[in-house]
Amino acid sequence: MSDQDILISIIMPAYNAENYISDSINSVIAQTYHNWELIIVDDGSVDNTSQIVKEWELKDNRIQYYYQQNGKQGKARNLGISKSKGIYLAFLDADDLWLPEKLDIQIKAIQEKNVDLVFADSYIFNDNETEDISKKMNISTSVFYDKNALNLFLDWNRIPILTVLVKKDKVINVGAFSEELEIQNVEDYHLWLKLLMAGNIFYALDYTLAKYRVHGNSATSSDKLVLDKIPNIFFSLSQLYPECKKQIQQELKLRFNFIYKNNLFTKPELSVWINKNTKYLSKSQMRYFYLFLNFLLPTKVTKRSLIYILNA
């Protein structure tokens, strides 16, 4: 089977995307690689998204439209995956764009390198500015696997989802995207970590193959929103992959080394320290703090209390 014979399933969640979705669809149709299907999942839009997509469906039989009640990105992407027929998956949000050779370059790379997932660089642009090609996410060529790669990814999310091409069976094997509400907006990061913990190999391409649009309604336009949800990822992964719990704990040690220095407190001393110091922590830092205590002193922080804190 040649590269051009392989079907790639492109998953596009869309919520109130009438202003941008035609541009995104056009960037798929403009691909130099032609054997694809575009599965668009309308996540309960209340604007003209459905009408626009249905018009595109009539123009190109490779485009499919599905509707769901609003359930956020993870649920929408999973519905798209369940309807897909391709061997590989690619992801494009309804406000972002691909450069024409995106799929062509990546289908060759994922086979030649014999890896499970490839990703690349992306330009970053705002609606209110002319395109500035100097603004990129700065992805460098590298291969990621084993515990060392996991440490790097626990530090921060290195993969722009709009640049990914991944083997579908690998995604399904780890349960695809989380649909838990407390993990939405970081559900892609959660998936990359699950794939690494399951032993998959990533390859970063030193190509710029996409354009990430920043605007007020972007799913990750608020950095604080994303940061506040990272502890939820760590908690989830520690339950799913207990063999990686020590690595997750190490990341928490790095983030809160001032806490770890005092890890021999007795219960009364710990209570005094918490009362004196945690009042200065932000809400996000408090989540990390209690998650850290769950590793360090599991008998003193119950799972029920931790879940309450993480969802506060």
Side-chain angles (χ1 to χ4, degrees):
M1 181 184 294
S2 71
D3 290 347
Q4 288 291 336
D5 293 329
I6 297 172
L7 179 64
I8 298 174
S9 298
I10 304 158
I11 312 300
M12 179 183 289
Y15 177 71
N16 290 346
E18 63 179 6
N19 292 331
Y20 308 111
I21 195 165
S22 284
D23 289 343
S24 299
I25 294 171
N26 263 320
S27 77
V28 174
I29 291 174
Q31 290 297 298
T32 56
Y33 187 93
H34 303 295
N35 194 17
W36 50 260
E37 60 176 357
L38 174 58
I39 300 172
I40 301 173
V41 179
D42 185 345
D43 188 31
S45 297
V46 294
D47 64 357
N48 291 321
T49 295
S50 62
Q51 180 181 341
I52 294 168
V53 177
K54 287 174 182 177
E55 289 173 0
W56 278 104
E57 256 190 315
L58 296 174
K59 296 177 186 177
D60 195 317
N61 61 12
R62 295 173 294 178
I63 299 173
Q64 304 167 40
Y65 172 83
Y66 296 94
Y67 177 87
Q68 68 173 26
Q69 294 293 328
N70 184 255
K72 307 303 180 184
Q73 303 96 302
K75 187 174 182 180
R77 290 191 178 112
N78 285 345
L79 175 58
I81 292 169
S82 74
K83 303 295 184 182
S84 67
K85 300 180 181 67
I87 298 173
Y88 294 99
L89 299 172
F91 306 100
L92 182 64
D93 286 348
D95 50 0
D96 296 329
L97 307 169
W98 281 348
L99 299 185
E101 293 186 340
K102 194 265 186 192
L103 294 180
D104 235 337
I105 289 171
Q106 290 192 311
I107 194 70
K108 292 181 176 69
I110 201 168
Q111 293 192 312
E112 290 173 2
K113 298 296 181 181
N114 191 27
V115 295
D116 303 300
L117 179 151
V118 295
F119 65 101
D121 210 338
S122 174
Y123 295 119
I124 303 170
F125 71 102
N126 295 317
D127 280 348
N128 59 355
E129 67 180 17
T130 57
E131 185 173 320
D132 181 354
I133 62 172
S134 68
K135 293 182 179 178
K136 296 196 294 186
M137 295 186 180
N138 298 318
I139 304 299
S140 300
T141 298
S142 187
V143 178
F144 298 96
Y145 64 96
D146 73 20
K147 291 184 177 181
N148 292 328
L150 180 56
N151 284 337
L152 292 173
F153 275 75
L154 283 170
D155 191 28
W156 53 281
N157 184 8
R158 297 167 183 271
I159 300 181
I161 188 170
L162 71 165
T163 72
V164 164
L165 185 70
V166 61
K167 294 176 180 176
K168 183 169 75 174
D169 63 331
K170 301 297 184 180
V171 171
I172 292 172
N173 287 346
V174 297
F177 289 94
S178 172
E179 297 182 12
E180 296 178 32
L181 290 179
E182 61 268 26
I183 291 179
Q184 299 313 296
N185 300 112
V186 288
E187 76 287 344
D188 56 334
Y189 183 31
H190 186 253
L191 176 59
W192 315 146
L193 289 169
K194 286 196 295 182
L195 287 167
L196 280 173
M197 289 179 179
N200 293 287
I201 302 174
F202 298 173
Y203 180 65
L205 286 161
D206 190 15
Y207 286 91
T208 306
L209 299 177
K211 298 178 182 179
Y212 175 76
R213 187 193 304 267
V214 178
H215 58 87
N217 295 323
S218 299
T220 54
S221 60
S222 170
D223 288 341
K224 186 180 185 304
L225 174 66
V226 171
L227 288 172
D228 280 354
K229 291 189 173 184
I230 299 301
N232 302 343
I233 288 181
F234 287 169
F235 179 70
S236 169
L237 293 172
S238 69
Q239 308 304 303
L240 291 170
Y241 298 93
E243 68 275 16
C244 298
K245 197 169 180 177
K246 286 186 178 179
Q247 281 185 270
I248 299 171
Q249 183 182 6
Q250 276 299 125
E251 173 60 21
L252 290 166
K253 286 179 187 177
L254 293 174
R255 293 177 186 232
F256 280 94
N257 57 9
F258 64 94
I259 294 173
Y260 190 68
K261 288 175 183 177
N262 298 283
N263 67 351
L264 298 179
F265 282 155
T266 63
K267 189 171 182 178
E269 289 170 335
L270 181 64
S271 298
V272 170
W273 191 91
I274 289 173
N275 290 334
K276 285 180 61 178
N277 293 280
T278 56
K279 63 183 178 181
Y280 300 110
L281 300 181
S282 68
K283 187 175 181 180
S284 179
Q285 289 172 319
M286 283 291 289
R287 290 177 176 178
Y288 284 112
F289 175 75
Y290 279 99
L291 181 56
F292 183 85
L293 289 185
N294 189 60
F295 284 117
L296 194 63
L297 303 163
T299 60
K300 295 188 174 73
V301 182
T302 67
K303 182 178 178 182
R304 183 176 177 183
S305 298
L306 179 62
I307 291 173
Y308 174 78
I309 291 159
L310 293 179
N311 290 317

